[in-house]
């Protein structure tokens, strides 16, 4: 993570930017997709931080379901 005084995080989600943004919005996060590149997530309040941490923990626990989904998220599939 880079040092910053900004109230947002940049997540390099690649081609999955729009679907990840929709999921973030569903969870109550303020997000903006940059299709094909990444996602900007606003985390200006303690509540927003808690939402992002909960979403990250769930994703870390469950992870993408398939190799195809990992590829869409910009993560190199295991070979």
């Amino acid at each position: 993570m880079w040092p910053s005084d900004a109230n947002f995080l940049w997540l390099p989600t690649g081609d999955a930017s729009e679907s990840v943004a929709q999921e973030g919005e569903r969870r109550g996060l303020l997000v903006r997709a940059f299709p094909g590149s990444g996602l900007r997530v606003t985390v200006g309040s303690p509540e927003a931080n808690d939402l992002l941490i909960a979403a990250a923990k769930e994703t870390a626990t469950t992870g993408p379901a398939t190799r195809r989904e990992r590829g869409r998220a910009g993560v190199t599939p295991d070979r």
Side-chain angles (χ1 to χ4, degrees):
M1 174 145 331
W2 296 278
S4 174
D5 292 324
N7 68 339
F8 62 86
L9 298 173
W10 175 256
L11 303 175
T13 53
D15 291 337
S17 298
E18 292 174 288
S19 62
V20 174
Q22 289 174 354
E23 179 64 17
E25 289 171 352
R26 185 186 71 74
R27 292 171 178 265
L29 293 167
L30 295 174
V31 298
R32 179 174 177 200
F34 292 81
S37 185
L39 187 72
R40 186 179 74 188
V41 182
T42 301
V43 288
S45 70
E47 295 81 12
N49 289 332
D50 292 343
L51 286 171
L52 182 58
I53 291 168
K57 284 181 179 178
E58 182 177 328
T59 301
T61 302
T62 60
T66 67
R67 296 173 88 174
R68 183 175 178 195
E69 289 174 355
R70 285 195 300 270
R72 281 196 308 249
V75 177
T76 304
D78 299 331
R79 299 195 189 257

